[in-house]
């Protein structure tokens, strides 16, 4: 199971102090994690989105909803996937790797 940890930080302007530990952590366990090393993890650029894009050496790019830990989608590549990213918003993503192809989905 893949776990995503989000650390809550309080800025000095908001009453926090430098060198102080963050007030807490939230961890979400994600179903159907990659079977090999993760090459890239990207959160959707939209602040209201809870989507997480993950590429892996197992030749898959996975899209998760971290709000509920579910797998939203999975895309198979012919070889290991080295990078992935969202395009402008969370409605489109690209990924590519050792197959020397960039796939949009």
């Amino acid at each position: 199971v893949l776990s995503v940890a989000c650390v809550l930080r309080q800025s000095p302007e908001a009453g926090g102090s430098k060198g102080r530990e963050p007030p807490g952590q939230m961890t979400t366990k994600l179903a159907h994690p990659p079977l090999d090393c993760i090459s890239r993890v990207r959160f959707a650029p939209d602040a209201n989105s809870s989507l997480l894009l993950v590429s892996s050496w197992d030749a898959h790019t996975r899209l998760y909803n971290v709000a509920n830990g579910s797998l939203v989608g999975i895309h198979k590549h012919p070889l290991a996937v080295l990078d992935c990213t969202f395009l402008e918003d969370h409605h489109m993503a690209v990924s590519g790797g050792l197959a020397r192809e960039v796939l949009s989905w």
Side-chain angles (χ1 to χ4, degrees), residues 1 4 9 23 25 33 35 40 48 57 61 70 77 92-93 100:
V1 173
V4 177
R9 293 199 170 112
Q25 290 187 354
L35 302 174
R40 177 69 69 187
N48 297 321
W57 279 79
T61 303
S70 67
H77 288 254
M92 191 165 198
R100 300 184 348 190

Side-chain angles (χ1 to χ4, degrees), residues 58-63 73-77 81 95 103-105:
D58 70 357
H60 290 86
T61 303
R62 293 167 173 82
L63 182 64
I74 188 167
H75 187 34
K76 173 91 170 103
H77 288 254
V81 186
S95 53
L103 304 175
S104 63
W105 53 291

Side-chain angles (χ1 to χ4, degrees), residues 22-102:
Q25 290 187 354
M26 297 180 298
T27 302
T28 301
K29 293 189 185 252
L30 302 174
H32 310 288
L35 302 174
D36 204 341
C37 295
I38 293 172
S39 56
R40 177 69 69 187
V41 175
R42 298 258 189 200
F43 282 96
D46 181 0
N48 297 321
S49 176
S50 58
L51 296 178
L52 177 70
L53 192 61
V54 178
S55 60
S56 172
W57 279 79
D58 70 357
H60 290 86
T61 303
R62 293 167 173 82
L63 182 64
Y64 294 98
N65 180 334
V66 295
N68 60 21
S70 67
L71 179 66
V72 175
I74 188 167
H75 187 34
K76 173 91 170 103
H77 288 254
L79 297 170
V81 186
L82 302 180
D83 204 358
C84 63
T85 192
F86 288 96
L87 296 178
E88 295 186 27
D89 59 17
H90 64 273
H91 297 291
M92 191 165 198
V94 294
S95 53
L98 294 180
R100 300 184 348 190
E101 298 174 341
V102 176

